[in-house]
Coordinates of all heavy atoms in Angstrom, one line a residue:
M1 N 0.8 -1.2 0.0 CA 0.0 0.0 0.0 C 0.9 1.2 0.0 O 1.8 1.4 0.8 CB -0.9 0.0 1.2 CG -2.3 0.5 1.0 SD -3.3 0.5 2.4 CE -4.1 -1.1 2.3
T2 N 0.6 2.2 -0.9 CA 1.3 3.4 -1.0 C 0.7 4.5 -0.1 O -0.5 4.7 -0.1 CB 1.3 3.9 -2.4 OG1 1.8 2.8 -3.3 CG2 2.2 5.1 -2.6
E3 N 1.5 5.1 0.7 CA 1.0 6.2 1.6 C 1.6 7.5 1.1 O 2.8 7.6 0.9 CB 1.4 5.9 3.0 CG 0.7 6.9 4.0 CD 1.0 6.5 5.4 OE1 0.8 5.3 5.8 OE2 1.4 7.4 6.2
V4 N 0.7 8.5 1.0 CA 1.2 9.8 0.5 C 0.6 10.9 1.5 O -0.7 10.9 1.6 CB 0.7 10.1 -0.9 CG1 1.1 11.5 -1.3 CG2 1.2 9.1 -1.9
G5 N 1.4 11.5 2.2 CA 0.9 12.6 3.1 C 0.0 12.0 4.2 O -1.0 12.7 4.6
G6 N 0.2 10.8 4.6 CA -0.6 10.2 5.6 C -1.9 9.6 5.1 O -2.8 9.1 5.8
I7 N -2.0 9.6 3.7 CA -3.2 9.0 3.1 C -2.9 7.7 2.4 O -1.9 7.7 1.6 CB -3.8 10.0 2.1 CG1 -4.3 11.2 2.8 CG2 -4.9 9.4 1.3 CD1 -4.8 12.4 1.9
Q8 N -3.7 6.7 2.5 CA -3.5 5.4 1.8 C -4.0 5.6 0.4 O -5.2 5.6 0.1 CB -4.2 4.3 2.5 CG -3.8 4.0 3.9 CD -2.4 3.6 4.0 OE1 -1.9 2.9 3.1 NE2 -1.7 4.0 5.1
A9 N -3.0 5.8 -0.5 CA -3.4 6.1 -1.9 C -4.2 5.1 -2.6 O -5.2 5.4 -3.3 CB -2.1 6.4 -2.7
D10 N -3.9 3.8 -2.3 CA -4.7 2.7 -2.9 C -6.1 2.7 -2.4 O -7.1 2.5 -3.2 CB -4.0 1.4 -2.6 CG -2.7 1.2 -3.3 OD1 -2.4 2.0 -4.2 OD2 -1.9 0.3 -2.8
Q11 N -6.3 2.9 -1.2 CA -7.6 2.9 -0.6 C -8.4 4.1 -1.1 O -9.6 4.0 -1.4 CB -7.5 3.0 1.0 CG -8.8 2.9 1.7 CD -8.6 2.9 3.2 OE1 -7.9 3.8 3.7 NE2 -9.3 2.0 3.9
L12 N -7.8 5.3 -1.2 CA -8.4 6.5 -1.7 C -8.9 6.3 -3.1 O -10.0 6.6 -3.5 CB -7.5 7.7 -1.6 CG -8.0 9.0 -2.2 CD1 -9.3 9.4 -1.5 CD2 -7.0 10.1 -2.1
A13 N -8.0 5.7 -3.9 CA -8.3 5.4 -5.3 C -9.5 4.5 -5.4 O -10.3 4.7 -6.3 CB -7.1 4.9 -6.1
S14 N -9.5 3.5 -4.6 CA -10.6 2.6 -4.6 C -12.0 3.3 -4.3 O -13.0 3.0 -5.0 CB -10.4 1.5 -3.5 OG -11.5 0.6 -3.4
Y15 N -12.0 4.1 -3.3 CA -13.2 4.9 -3.0 C -13.6 5.8 -4.2 O -14.8 5.8 -4.5 CB -13.0 5.8 -1.7 CG -13.1 5.0 -0.5 CD1 -12.1 4.9 0.4 CD2 -14.3 4.3 -0.2 CE1 -12.2 4.2 1.6 CE2 -14.4 3.5 1.0 CZ -13.3 3.5 1.9 OH -13.4 2.8 3.1
V16 N -12.7 6.5 -4.7 CA -12.9 7.4 -5.9 C -13.5 6.6 -7.0 O -14.5 7.0 -7.6 CB -11.7 8.1 -6.3 CG1 -11.9 8.9 -7.6 CG2 -11.3 9.1 -5.2
E17 N -12.9 5.4 -7.3 CA -13.4 4.6 -8.4 C -14.8 4.0 -8.2 O -15.7 4.0 -9.1 CB -12.4 3.4 -8.7 CG -11.1 3.9 -9.3 CD -10.0 2.9 -9.3 OE1 -10.3 1.7 -8.8 OE2 -8.9 3.2 -9.7
R18 N -15.1 3.6 -6.9 CA -16.4 3.1 -6.6 C -17.5 4.3 -6.7 O -18.5 4.0 -7.3 CB -16.4 2.6 -5.1 CG -15.8 1.3 -5.0 CD -15.6 0.8 -3.6 NE -16.9 0.8 -2.8 CZ -17.0 0.8 -1.5 NH1 -15.9 0.8 -0.8 NH2 -18.1 0.7 -0.9
I19 N -17.1 5.5 -6.3 CA -18.0 6.6 -6.4 C -18.3 6.9 -7.8 O -19.4 7.2 -8.2 CB -17.5 7.8 -5.6 CG1 -17.5 7.5 -4.1 CG2 -18.3 9.1 -5.9 CD1 -16.8 8.5 -3.2
E20 N -17.2 6.9 -8.6 CA -17.4 7.2 -10.1 C -18.3 6.2 -10.7 O -19.2 6.5 -11.5 CB -16.0 7.2 -10.8 CG -15.2 8.4 -10.4 CD -13.8 8.3 -11.0 OE1 -13.3 7.2 -11.3 OE2 -13.2 9.4 -11.1
R21 N -18.2 4.9 -10.4 CA -19.1 3.8 -11.0 C -20.5 4.1 -10.5 O -21.4 4.0 -11.3 CB -18.6 2.4 -10.5 CG -17.5 1.9 -11.3 CD -17.3 0.4 -11.1 NE -17.1 0.1 -9.7 CZ -15.9 0.1 -9.1 NH1 -14.8 0.5 -9.7 NH2 -15.8 -0.3 -7.8
L22 N -20.7 4.4 -9.3 CA -22.0 4.6 -8.7 C -22.7 5.9 -9.4 O -23.9 5.9 -9.7 CB -22.0 4.8 -7.2 CG -21.7 3.5 -6.5 CD1 -21.5 3.8 -5.0 CD2 -22.9 2.5 -6.6
E23 N -21.9 6.9 -9.6 CA -22.4 8.1 -10.3 C -22.8 7.8 -11.7 O -23.8 8.3 -12.2 CB -21.3 9.2 -10.3 CG -21.0 9.9 -9.0 CD -22.2 10.8 -8.5 OE1 -23.0 11.2 -9.3 OE2 -22.2 11.1 -7.3
E24 N -22.1 6.9 -12.4 CA -22.4 6.5 -13.7 C -23.7 5.7 -13.7 O -24.6 5.9 -14.5 CB -21.3 5.7 -14.3 CG -21.6 5.3 -15.8 CD -20.4 4.6 -16.4 OE1 -19.2 4.8 -16.0 OE2 -20.7 3.7 -17.3
E25 N -23.9 4.8 -12.8 CA -25.1 4.0 -12.6 C -26.3 5.0 -12.3 O -27.4 4.8 -12.9 CB -25.0 3.0 -11.5 CG -24.1 1.9 -11.8 CD -23.9 0.9 -10.6 OE1 -24.8 0.8 -9.8 OE2 -22.8 0.3 -10.6
K26 N -26.0 6.0 -11.5 CA -27.1 6.9 -11.1 C -27.5 7.7 -12.4 O -28.7 7.9 -12.6 CB -26.5 7.9 -10.1 CG -27.5 9.0 -9.6 CD -26.8 9.7 -8.5 CE -27.2 11.2 -8.5 NZ -26.5 12.0 -7.5
A27 N -26.6 8.1 -13.2 CA -26.9 8.8 -14.4 C -27.7 8.0 -15.3 O -28.7 8.4 -15.9 CB -25.6 9.3 -15.1
N28 N -27.4 6.7 -15.4 CA -28.1 5.8 -16.3 C -29.6 5.6 -15.7 O -30.5 5.5 -16.5 CB -27.4 4.4 -16.4 CG -26.2 4.5 -17.2 OD1 -26.0 5.4 -18.0 ND2 -25.2 3.6 -16.9
L29 N -29.7 5.5 -14.4 CA -31.0 5.3 -13.8 C -31.8 6.6 -14.0 O -33.0 6.5 -14.3 CB -30.9 5.0 -12.3 CG -30.4 3.6 -11.9 CD1 -30.2 3.5 -10.4 CD2 -31.4 2.6 -12.4
M30 N -31.2 7.7 -13.9 CA -32.0 9.0 -14.1 C -32.5 9.0 -15.6 O -33.6 9.5 -15.8 CB -31.1 10.2 -13.8 CG -30.7 10.3 -12.3 SD -32.1 10.4 -11.2 CE -32.9 11.9 -11.6
T31 N -31.7 8.6 -16.5 CA -32.1 8.5 -17.9 C -33.3 7.6 -18.0 O -34.3 7.9 -18.7 CB -31.0 8.1 -18.8 OG1 -29.9 9.0 -18.7 CG2 -31.4 8.0 -20.3
D32 N -33.2 6.4 -17.4 CA -34.3 5.4 -17.4 C -35.6 6.0 -16.8 O -36.7 5.9 -17.4 CB -34.0 4.2 -16.7 CG -32.9 3.4 -17.4 OD1 -32.6 3.6 -18.6 OD2 -32.3 2.4 -16.7
I33 N -35.5 6.7 -15.7 CA -36.6 7.3 -15.1 C -37.3 8.4 -16.0 O -38.5 8.4 -16.1 CB -36.2 7.9 -13.7 CG1 -35.9 6.8 -12.7 CG2 -37.3 8.8 -13.1 CD1 -35.3 7.2 -11.4
K34 N -36.4 9.2 -16.6 CA -36.9 10.2 -17.5 C -37.7 9.6 -18.7 O -38.7 10.1 -19.1 CB -35.7 11.0 -18.0 CG -36.1 12.2 -18.9 CD -34.9 13.0 -19.3 CE -35.3 14.1 -20.2 NZ -34.1 14.9 -20.6
E35 N -37.2 8.4 -19.2 CA -37.9 7.7 -20.2 C -39.3 7.2 -19.8 O -40.2 7.3 -20.5 CB -37.0 6.6 -20.8 CG -35.8 7.0 -21.6 CD -34.9 5.9 -22.0 OE1 -35.3 4.7 -21.8 OE2 -33.8 6.2 -22.5
V36 N -39.3 6.7 -18.6 CA -40.6 6.2 -18.0 C -41.6 7.4 -17.9 O -42.8 7.2 -18.3 CB -40.4 5.5 -16.7 CG1 -41.8 5.1 -16.1 CG2 -39.6 4.2 -16.9
Y37 N -41.2 8.5 -17.4 CA -42.0 9.7 -17.3 C -42.5 10.1 -18.7 O -43.7 10.5 -18.9 CB -41.4 10.8 -16.6 CG -41.4 10.8 -15.1 CD1 -40.2 10.6 -14.4 CD2 -42.6 10.8 -14.4 CE1 -40.3 10.6 -13.0 CE2 -42.6 10.8 -13.0 CZ -41.5 10.6 -12.3 OH -41.5 10.6 -11.0
G38 N -41.6 10.0 -19.7 CA -41.9 10.3 -21.1 C -43.0 9.4 -21.6 O -43.9 9.8 -22.3
E39 N -42.9 8.1 -21.3 CA -43.9 7.1 -21.8 C -45.2 7.5 -21.1 O -46.3 7.4 -21.8 CB -43.5 5.7 -21.4 CG -42.3 5.2 -22.1 CD -41.8 3.9 -21.6 OE1 -42.5 3.2 -20.9 OE2 -40.6 3.6 -21.8
A40 N -45.2 7.8 -19.8 CA -46.5 8.1 -19.1 C -47.1 9.3 -19.7 O -48.3 9.4 -20.0 CB -46.2 8.2 -17.7
K41 N -46.3 10.3 -20.0 CA -46.8 11.6 -20.6 C -47.4 11.3 -22.0 O -48.5 11.9 -22.3 CB -45.7 12.6 -20.7 CG -46.1 13.9 -21.2 CD -45.0 15.0 -21.2 CE -45.5 16.3 -21.6 NZ -44.5 17.3 -21.6
A42 N -46.8 10.5 -22.8 CA -47.3 10.1 -24.1 C -48.6 9.5 -24.0 O -49.4 9.6 -25.0 CB -46.3 9.2 -24.8
L43 N -48.9 8.8 -22.9 CA -50.2 8.2 -22.7 C -51.2 9.1 -22.1 O -52.3 8.6 -21.7 CB -50.1 6.9 -21.9 CG -49.3 5.8 -22.7 CD1 -49.1 4.6 -21.7 CD2 -50.1 5.3 -23.9
G44 N -50.8 10.3 -21.8 CA -51.8 11.3 -21.3 C -51.7 11.5 -19.8 O -52.5 12.3 -19.3
Y45 N -50.8 10.9 -19.1 CA -50.6 11.2 -17.7 C -49.9 12.5 -17.4 O -49.0 12.9 -18.2 CB -49.9 10.0 -17.0 CG -50.7 8.7 -17.0 CD1 -50.4 7.7 -17.9 CD2 -51.7 8.5 -16.1 CE1 -51.1 6.5 -18.0 CE2 -52.4 7.3 -16.1 CZ -52.1 6.3 -17.1 OH -52.8 5.2 -17.1
D46 N -50.3 13.1 -16.3 CA -49.7 14.4 -15.9 C -48.4 14.1 -15.1 O -48.5 13.6 -14.0 CB -50.7 15.2 -15.1 CG -50.2 16.6 -14.8 OD1 -49.0 16.7 -14.4 OD2 -51.0 17.5 -14.8
V47 N -47.3 14.4 -15.7 CA -46.0 14.0 -15.1 C -45.8 14.8 -13.8 O -45.3 14.2 -12.8 CB -44.8 14.3 -16.1 CG1 -43.5 14.2 -15.4 CG2 -44.9 13.4 -17.3
K48 N -46.2 16.0 -13.7 CA -46.1 16.8 -12.5 C -46.8 16.1 -11.3 O -46.3 15.9 -10.2 CB -46.6 18.2 -12.7 CG -46.4 19.1 -11.5 CD -46.9 20.5 -11.8 CE -46.8 21.4 -10.6 NZ -47.3 22.7 -10.9
I49 N -48.0 15.6 -11.6 CA -48.8 14.9 -10.6 C -48.2 13.5 -10.3 O -48.1 13.1 -9.1 CB -50.3 14.7 -11.1 CG1 -50.9 16.1 -11.4 CG2 -51.1 13.9 -10.1 CD1 -51.0 17.0 -10.2
L50 N -47.6 12.8 -11.3 CA -46.9 11.6 -11.0 C -45.8 11.8 -10.1 O -45.6 11.0 -9.1 CB -46.4 11.0 -12.3 CG -47.5 10.3 -13.2 CD1 -46.8 9.8 -14.5 CD2 -48.1 9.1 -12.5
R51 N -45.0 12.8 -10.3 CA -43.9 13.1 -9.4 C -44.4 13.4 -8.0 O -43.7 13.0 -7.0 CB -43.1 14.3 -9.9 CG -42.3 14.0 -11.2 CD -41.5 15.2 -11.6 NE -40.9 15.1 -13.0 CZ -39.8 14.3 -13.2 NH1 -39.2 13.7 -12.3 NH2 -39.4 14.2 -14.5
E52 N -45.5 14.1 -7.9 CA -46.0 14.4 -6.5 C -46.5 13.1 -5.9 O -46.3 12.9 -4.7 CB -47.2 15.4 -6.7 CG -47.7 15.9 -5.4 CD -46.8 16.7 -4.6 OE1 -45.9 17.4 -5.2 OE2 -46.9 16.8 -3.3
I53 N -47.1 12.2 -6.6 CA -47.6 10.9 -6.1 C -46.4 10.1 -5.6 O -46.4 9.5 -4.5 CB -48.4 10.1 -7.1 CG1 -49.7 10.8 -7.4 CG2 -48.5 8.7 -6.7 CD1 -50.7 10.8 -6.2
I54 N -45.3 10.1 -6.4 CA -44.1 9.4 -6.0 C -43.5 9.9 -4.7 O -43.2 9.2 -3.8 CB -43.0 9.4 -7.1 CG1 -43.5 8.8 -8.4 CG2 -41.7 8.8 -6.6 CD1 -43.8 7.4 -8.3
K55 N -43.5 11.3 -4.6 CA -43.0 11.9 -3.4 C -43.9 11.6 -2.2 O -43.4 11.2 -1.1 CB -43.0 13.4 -3.6 CG -42.4 14.2 -2.5 CD -42.3 15.7 -2.9 CE -43.3 16.5 -2.1 NZ -43.3 17.9 -2.3
L56 N -45.2 11.6 -2.4 CA -46.1 11.3 -1.3 C -46.0 9.9 -0.8 O -46.2 9.6 0.4 CB -47.6 11.6 -1.7 CG -47.9 13.1 -1.8 CD1 -49.3 13.2 -2.4 CD2 -47.9 13.8 -0.5
R57 N -45.8 8.9 -1.7 CA -45.7 7.5 -1.4 C -44.5 7.2 -0.5 O -44.4 6.2 0.2 CB -45.7 6.6 -2.6 CG -47.1 6.6 -3.3 CD -47.1 5.9 -4.6 NE -46.4 4.6 -4.5 CZ -47.1 3.4 -4.7 NH1 -48.4 3.4 -4.8 NH2 -46.5 2.3 -4.7
K58 N -43.5 8.1 -0.5 CA -42.3 7.9 0.3 C -42.5 8.3 1.8 O -41.7 8.0 2.6 CB -41.2 8.7 -0.2 CG -40.7 8.3 -1.6 CD -39.6 9.1 -2.1 CE -39.1 8.7 -3.5 NZ -38.1 9.6 -4.0
I59 N -43.6 9.0 2.0 CA -43.9 9.6 3.4 C -44.9 8.6 4.1 O -45.8 8.1 3.5 CB -44.6 10.9 3.2 CG1 -43.7 11.9 2.5 CG2 -44.9 11.5 4.6 CD1 -44.4 13.2 2.2
E60 N -44.6 8.4 5.4 CA -45.4 7.5 6.2 C -46.9 8.1 6.2 O -47.1 9.3 6.2 CB -44.9 7.5 7.6 CG -43.5 6.8 7.8 CD -43.6 5.3 7.6 OE1 -44.6 4.7 7.9 OE2 -42.6 4.8 7.2
D61 N -47.9 7.2 6.3 CA -49.3 7.6 6.3 C -49.6 8.7 7.3 O -50.2 9.7 7.0 CB -50.2 6.4 6.6 CG -50.3 5.5 5.4 OD1 -49.9 5.9 4.3 OD2 -50.7 4.4 5.5
H62 N -49.1 8.5 8.6 CA -49.4 9.5 9.6 C -48.8 10.8 9.4 O -49.4 11.9 9.6 CB -49.1 9.0 11.0 CG -47.6 8.9 11.2 ND1 -46.8 7.8 10.8 CD2 -46.7 9.7 11.9 CE1 -45.6 8.0 11.1 NE2 -45.5 9.2 11.8
E63 N -47.6 10.8 8.8 CA -46.9 12.0 8.5 C -47.6 12.8 7.3 O -47.8 14.0 7.4 CB -45.4 11.7 8.1 CG -44.4 12.6 8.7 CD -43.0 12.1 8.2 OE1 -42.6 11.0 8.5 OE2 -42.4 12.9 7.5
R64 N -48.0 12.0 6.3 CA -48.7 12.6 5.2 C -50.0 13.2 5.6 O -50.3 14.3 5.2 CB -48.9 11.5 4.1 CG -49.5 12.1 2.8 CD -49.5 11.0 1.7 NE -50.2 9.8 2.0 CZ -49.6 8.6 2.1 NH1 -48.3 8.5 1.9 NH2 -50.3 7.5 2.5
S65 N -50.7 12.5 6.5 CA -52.0 13.0 7.0 C -51.8 14.3 7.7 O -52.6 15.3 7.5 CB -52.7 12.0 7.9 OG -53.8 12.5 8.4
E66 N -50.8 14.4 8.5 CA -50.5 15.6 9.3 C -50.1 16.7 8.4 O -50.6 17.9 8.5 CB -49.3 15.3 10.2 CG -49.0 16.5 11.1 CD -47.8 16.1 12.1 OE1 -47.9 15.1 12.7 OE2 -46.8 16.9 12.1
Q67 N -49.3 16.5 7.3 CA -49.0 17.5 6.4 C -50.2 18.0 5.6 O -50.3 19.2 5.4 CB -47.9 17.0 5.4 CG -46.6 16.8 6.0 CD -45.6 16.3 4.9 OE1 -45.9 16.2 3.8 NE2 -44.4 16.0 5.4
E68 N -51.1 17.1 5.3 CA -52.3 17.5 4.5 C -53.2 18.3 5.4 O -53.8 19.3 4.9 CB -53.1 16.2 4.1 CG -52.4 15.5 2.9 CD -53.0 14.2 2.6 OE1 -53.8 13.7 3.3 OE2 -52.5 13.6 1.6
Q69 N -53.3 18.0 6.7 CA -54.1 18.8 7.6 C -53.5 20.2 7.8 O -54.3 21.2 7.7 CB -54.2 18.1 9.0 CG -55.0 16.9 9.0 CD -55.0 16.2 10.3 OE1 -54.3 16.6 11.3 NE2 -55.7 15.0 10.4
I70 N -52.2 20.3 7.9 CA -51.6 21.6 8.0 C -51.8 22.4 6.7 O -52.1 23.6 6.8 CB -50.1 21.5 8.4 CG1 -50.0 20.9 9.8 CG2 -49.4 22.8 8.3 CD1 -48.5 20.5 10.1
L71 N -51.7 21.8 5.6 CA -51.9 22.4 4.3 C -53.3 23.0 4.2 O -53.5 24.1 3.8 CB -51.6 21.4 3.2 CG -51.9 22.0 1.7 CD1 -50.9 23.2 1.4 CD2 -51.7 20.9 0.7
E72 N -54.3 22.2 4.7 CA -55.7 22.7 4.6 C -55.8 23.9 5.5 O -56.5 24.9 5.1 CB -56.6 21.6 5.0 CG -56.8 20.5 4.0 CD -57.3 21.1 2.6 OE1 -58.2 21.9 2.6 OE2 -56.7 20.7 1.6
V73 N -55.2 23.9 6.7 CA -55.3 25.1 7.6 C -54.7 26.3 6.9 O -55.3 27.4 6.9 CB -54.6 24.8 9.0 CG1 -54.5 26.0 9.8 CG2 -55.4 23.7 9.7
Y74 N -53.5 26.1 6.3 CA -52.9 27.3 5.7 C -53.7 27.8 4.5 O -53.9 29.0 4.3 CB -51.5 26.8 5.2 CG -50.4 26.7 6.2 CD1 -50.7 26.6 7.6 CD2 -49.1 26.6 5.8 CE1 -49.7 26.5 8.5 CE2 -48.1 26.5 6.8 CZ -48.4 26.4 8.1 OH -47.4 26.3 9.0
K75 N -54.3 26.9 3.7 CA -55.1 27.3 2.6 C -56.3 28.1 3.1 O -56.7 29.1 2.5 CB -55.6 26.0 1.8 CG -54.4 25.5 0.9 CD -54.7 24.1 0.3 CE -56.0 24.0 -0.4 NZ -56.2 22.7 -1.0
R76 N -57.0 27.6 4.1 CA -58.1 28.3 4.7 C -57.7 29.7 5.2 O -58.4 30.7 5.0 CB -58.8 27.5 5.8 CG -59.7 26.4 5.3 CD -60.6 25.8 6.4 NE -59.9 25.5 7.6 CZ -59.5 24.3 8.0 NH1 -59.8 23.3 7.3 NH2 -58.9 24.2 9.2
A77 N -56.6 29.7 5.9 CA -56.1 31.0 6.4 C -55.8 32.0 5.3 O -56.0 33.2 5.5 CB -54.8 30.8 7.2
L78 N -55.5 31.5 4.1 CA -55.2 32.4 2.9 C -56.4 32.5 2.0 O -56.3 33.1 0.9 CB -54.0 31.8 2.1 CG -52.7 31.8 2.9 CD1 -51.7 31.1 2.1 CD2 -52.2 33.3 3.2
G79 N -57.6 32.0 2.5 CA -58.8 32.1 1.7 C -58.8 31.3 0.4 O -59.4 31.6 -0.6
M80 N -58.1 30.2 0.4 CA -57.9 29.3 -0.8 C -58.8 28.1 -0.7 O -58.8 27.3 -1.6 CB -56.5 28.9 -0.9 CG -55.5 30.0 -1.1 SD -53.8 29.5 -1.1 CE -53.8 28.4 -2.5
G81 N -59.6 27.9 0.3 CA -60.4 26.7 0.3 C -61.3 26.7 1.4 O -62.2 26.0 1.7

């Protein structure tokens, strides 16, 4: 193992290479996701709403319910609903 300035060069290179591979995979996945949204849009689905649904599905039910209640209170306070 080569050490440079107190840093294990081989280990550092390994981390950098792993991160680079993961970044490449991430870019490929983002392209795939974009294509799926494009397919959905071509069939008439609203992509903005799909993104919102994906975001909401990541939130726990109780948390989502709480956020929706607060949103309703804010909307009423602003005369929006």
Side-chain angles (χ1 to χ4, degrees):
M1 219 181 266
T2 307
E3 189 174 309
V4 178
I7 295 174
Q8 300 296 326
D10 295 342
Q11 187 179 46
L12 177 60
S14 174
Y15 282 121
V16 169
E17 290 166 5
R18 284 172 56 196
I19 292 168
E20 288 172 337
R21 280 193 304 275
L22 291 169
E23 288 288 344
E24 186 176 328
E25 289 176 29
K26 179 176 146 183
N28 291 334
L29 286 173
M30 294 304 292
T31 298
D32 291 347
I33 290 169
K34 185 176 179 181
E35 288 175 8
V36 172
Y37 278 117
E39 291 172 22
K41 184 176 183 177
L43 292 174
Y45 292 100
D46 186 317
V47 172
K48 184 177 178 181
I49 300 301
L50 283 174
R51 289 183 190 281
E52 187 66 24
I53 292 294
I54 299 298
K55 185 174 112 179
L56 289 172
R57 286 173 53 109
K58 292 178 183 178
I59 302 172
E60 296 287 331
D61 287 343
H62 70 279
E63 225 179 296
R64 185 171 54 246
S65 177
E66 184 179 309
Q67 287 180 8
E68 289 170 353
Q69 289 174 2
I70 294 169
L71 177 61
E72 286 304 314
V73 169
Y74 284 16
K75 286 169 49 179
R76 281 195 311 258
L78 295 171
M80 297 174 62

